[in-house]
Amino acid sequence: MGFEERLAQLGALKARAALGGGHDRIDAQHQRGKLTARERLSILLDPGTFEEIDALAVHLNGVEEDERFYGDAVVTGWGKIDGRQVCAFAQDFTVYGGSLGEVVGEKIAKVMDLAVKIGVPVIGLNDSGGARIQEGVGSLAGYGDIFHRNVKASGVIPQISVIMGPCAGGAVYSPALTDFIFMVEGTSQMFLTGPDVIQSATGEVTTMEELGGAHSHISKSGVAHFSVKGEEACLEEVRRLLSYIPLNNMDDPPFVDTGDAATRRLDDIASVVPAETSLPYDVRDVIERMVDNGEFMEVHEYFAQNIVVGFARIAGHAIGLVANQPMYLGGVLDIDSTRKAARFVRFCDAFNVPIVTLVDVPGYLPGISQEYGGIIAHGAKLVYAYSAATVPKVTVILRKAFGGAYDAMGSKHLGADVNYAWAGAAIAVMAGSQAVNIINRREIQSSKEPEATRARLVADYQQRLEHPYIAAAKGYIDDVIDPAETRVKVAHALEMLRGKAETQPPRKHGNIPL
Ligand code: HXC
């Protein structure tokens, strides 16, 4: 065969690989409202930067040459996002439903190994029916090899999963081991076992969307972090997330010149927060005033809404924000909110993103279901995550910090570097209105005018204990500040902490209460 013929042969093979499962299945994919693997990669990555590898790999299950799908059911390679290197793979639903056999497993493992070697994020676009049934244990091995790599790469390179179709069985475990999961509203689902299996096993009747759709996973299970309408918008959000995070654990998040001065005062910020500690407000109104140009990328927006977490920038540098949300359940800490915040703090710490904590918390949620559900162990996760984090940690108490939640929310005692409290903040074991019922019960009960006595005792308690000056006197709070100074104080603290290096005694790893 001459050179020209060889080139023609290569062209034909590449063209065949590019067609995946063929025209009919591509049309069916489009009719389902979904793009193909290659179309998705072209949106995710900067134009012209995608370099595909293993397009000529062929699956093992014995089919004739003319029935082979070159590249098998995944497209792998590398490219750039905002000019920064990443590795990526996109499962191809047009080939055996994106199912994972040995070759697909090997291709994904190879691109993950490459990402670790060069220290760049790996982004997986998932659209897969799970283990390829025809390939038996080879498929299970493929998954096991990917899970192992997910774990080894955890905390070394950012791993991002995007769910873009029905993902079943093994296809959802790997995403669960990664840092963030995006889902596309309406066209993506995640479940270990689908509705039919559930019905035969338990008799429960459900649909794919109800069971594993984006709404279920962003609000009920908390398995997914983001849900976005439309594939293109979803992939744009992945690009946006990457703008806040470094390429690997030895790198810093990118600096962005936002043009927003660190010295900007927040003159109307106090008006957002009612003085009466039990009145609700949306803490995102505080966050948006405080961060550069009001840009805040909220993570887990619809799950455990009593705490808000997400990324923003102050003076151009990325931060991870954790804030109690008085608008939901009074901002109380419970099982889901402590799990959510702990996981976020762990991510920020692993990838050199400083943590800014805004505190307005009445305490932990009392209740039998919370206790039986293990609030003790789940709540401990947050304490563990803050204590273990060595990135810069700056905490501002906005209005109240009561009880164990004072300790848990990035207090000085858990190793925060700089702690501020607004001038009106209350820091105490509990609010005066509750405290007098315990410490002054007999006095109130024996009083001729119990309500007047109670009111006097509450006022006395508030004057003696419900303010920030005891904590400031002890150095637990580094300064009591005017709310209007919040941005500049936090910006200066973060600037001072930029060179922070905290060393730890050698150990294999701690034992977080998982
Ligand atoms: C091989 C598969 C497949 C699979 C789908 N296909 N799943 N081929 N192995 N697991 C093929 C179909 O035969 C079909 O091929 C094409 O993909 C599209 O599938 P459809 O069923 O037509 O599509 P749709 O109606 O959209 O349904 C998608 C689906 C469904 C929900 C994913 O196909 C499904 O339920 N698949 C099986 C899911 C499952 O049980 N997987 C095993 C999980 S166990 P043609 O040729 O017609 O295009 C597992 C264990 C791992 O993963 C454990 C690791 C720890």
Side-chain angles (χ1 to χ4, degrees), residues 25 32 34 69 93-100 128-134 139-140 143-144 147 166-171 173 189 191-192 194 197 208:
R25 291 195 186 87
R32 288 184 181 101
K34 302 195 297 177
F69 298 105
F93 193 80
T94 68
V95 177
Y96 294 109
S99 60
L100 188 137
S128 164
R132 181 163 311 158
I133 298 160
Q134 298 89 319
S139 311
L140 305 181
Y143 271 126
F147 301 158
C167 289
Y173 258 126
Q189 297 90 26
F191 37 76
L192 280 185
V197 177
M208 283 203 350

Side-chain angles (χ1 to χ4, degrees), residues 101-126:
E102 256 179 272
V103 170
V104 174
E106 283 164 9
K107 281 183 67 172
I108 294 176
K110 184 173 172 182
V111 84
M112 290 175 77
D113 288 344
L114 189 61
V116 172
K117 264 192 283 189
I118 58 176
V120 303
V122 65
I123 301 151
L125 311 184
N126 299 273

Side-chain angles (χ1 to χ4, degrees), residues 26 30 34-44 235:
I26 289 175
H30 287 154
K34 302 195 297 177
L35 297 172
T36 65
R38 285 185 175 78
E39 288 166 345
R40 288 166 175 167
L41 285 168
S42 74
I43 296 169
L44 175 72
L235 295 167

Side-chain angles (χ1 to χ4, degrees), residues 178-492:
T178 63
D179 296 302
F180 294 105
I181 300 181
F182 288 76
M183 291 186 77
V184 181
E185 278 173 35
T187 48
S188 72
Q189 297 90 26
M190 301 177 80
F191 37 76
L192 280 185
T193 52
D196 295 346
V197 177
I198 289 183
Q199 190 170 5
S200 60
T202 70
E204 294 166 295
V205 178
T206 184
T207 62
M208 283 203 350
E209 189 60 26
E210 183 186 63
L211 180 68
H215 177 72
S216 301
H217 284 305
I218 55 158
S219 60
K220 291 186 189 357
S221 72
V223 165
H225 301 85
F226 303 95
S227 119
V228 187
K229 212 176 166 129
E231 295 198 359
E232 198 163 339
C234 186
L235 295 167
E236 281 301 330
E237 284 297 282
V238 175
R239 291 173 59 91
R240 181 171 165 223
L241 175 65
L242 278 171
S243 76
Y244 292 102
I245 61 186
L247 295 184
N248 59 60
N249 65 331
M250 307 300 280
D251 188 22
D252 285 323
F255 171 81
V256 175
D257 185 1
T258 58
D260 196 353
T263 49
R264 179 167 58 81
R265 279 176 61 84
L266 314 179
D267 285 319
D268 69 339
I269 201 165
S271 67
V272 169
V273 181
E276 167 51 51
T277 56
S278 59
L279 288 180
Y281 64 94
D282 188 343
V283 78
R284 287 172 297 198
D285 289 337
V286 174
I287 293 170
E288 279 160 18
R289 281 166 171 77
M290 199 179 137
V291 302
D292 288 4
N293 302 322
E295 281 171 29
F296 177 53
M297 183 164 193
E298 189 167 351
V299 175
H300 257 153
E301 184 177 349
Y302 301 102
F303 178 68
Q305 289 172 292
N306 39 328
I307 206 155
V308 171
V309 302
F311 297 102
R313 290 187 184 84
I314 288 193
H317 293 277
I319 55 164
L321 268 153
V322 181
N324 306 113
Q325 173 58 292
M327 210 166 82
Y328 289 91
L329 297 172
V332 77
L333 290 182
D334 59 2
I335 293 171
D336 286 346
S337 61
T338 46
R339 279 202 302 127
K340 166 176 162 178
R343 174 107 178 120
F344 184 71
V345 167
R346 295 290 277 184
F347 177 85
C348 291
D349 186 48
F351 290 105
N352 311 319
V353 181
I355 299 159
V356 175
T357 305
L358 303 180
V359 185
D360 192 344
V361 65
Y364 276 90
L365 179 66
I368 296 172
S369 66
Q370 287 288 307
E371 295 292 345
Y372 284 3
I375 180 64
I376 298 170
H378 294 294
K381 288 176 182 167
L382 186 58
V383 172
Y384 195 108
Y386 269 115
S387 296
T390 58
V391 284
K393 292 181 282 190
V394 177
T395 298
V396 185
I397 299 176
L398 307 182
R399 193 171 61 164
K400 61 184 181 297
F402 291 144
Y406 154 75
D407 278 316
M409 287 300 300
S411 68
K412 185 67 96 194
H413 322 287
L414 302 189
D417 301 294
V418 178
N419 295 66
Y420 293 127
W422 283 7
I427 306 172
V429 174
M430 61 181 73
S433 51
Q434 290 171 287
V436 296
N437 295 336
I438 300 167
I439 55 178
N440 304 107
R441 188 173 44 203
R442 256 177 261 127
E443 191 182 342
I444 295 170
Q445 281 172 352
S446 61
S447 162
K448 286 187 188 127
E449 289 178 313
E451 273 320 300
T453 305
R454 205 173 169 283
R456 177 179 53 77
L457 289 165
V458 169
D460 178 55
Y461 178 99
Q462 285 171 337
Q463 203 182 11
R464 283 188 301 114
L465 291 166
E466 254 191 64
H467 53 71
Y469 296 105
I470 301 171
K474 293 176 185 294
Y476 304 157
I477 292 294
D478 297 293
D479 202 3
V480 179
I481 62 170
D482 173 350
E485 297 176 307
T486 306
R487 176 176 160 87
V488 63
K489 285 284 193 182
V490 171
H492 286 168

Side-chain angles (χ1 to χ4, degrees), residues 33-183:
K34 302 195 297 177
L35 297 172
T36 65
R38 285 185 175 78
E39 288 166 345
R40 288 166 175 167
L41 285 168
S42 74
I43 296 169
L44 175 72
L45 302 169
D46 294 348
T49 62
F50 181 54
E51 292 288 348
E52 184 172 351
I53 52 172
D54 292 335
L56 303 180
V58 184
H59 46 92
L60 300 178
N61 45 313
V63 287
E64 299 305 316
E65 151 60 30
D66 60 350
E67 292 171 1
R68 282 180 180 170
F69 298 105
Y70 281 91
D72 206 337
V74 70
V75 181
T76 59
W78 65 83
K80 290 191 173 169
I81 290 183
D82 288 334
R84 300 160 79 213
Q85 196 69 59
V86 298
C87 285
F89 64 87
Q91 291 168 340
D92 184 350
F93 193 80
T94 68
V95 177
Y96 294 109
S99 60
L100 188 137
E102 256 179 272
V103 170
V104 174
E106 283 164 9
K107 281 183 67 172
I108 294 176
K110 184 173 172 182
V111 84
M112 290 175 77
D113 288 344
L114 189 61
V116 172
K117 264 192 283 189
I118 58 176
V120 303
V122 65
I123 301 151
L125 311 184
N126 299 273
D127 190 356
S128 164
R132 181 163 311 158
I133 298 160
Q134 298 89 319
E135 293 197 31
V137 70
S139 311
L140 305 181
Y143 271 126
D145 291 342
I146 293 170
F147 301 158
H148 185 64
R149 281 169 173 78
N150 284 135
V151 175
K152 292 288 184 192
S154 180
V156 180
I157 51 167
Q159 300 179 75
I160 296 169
S161 301
V162 192
I163 311 297
M164 310 195 82
C167 289
V172 293
Y173 258 126
S174 171
L177 293 166
T178 63
D179 296 302
F180 294 105
I181 300 181
F182 288 76
M183 291 186 77

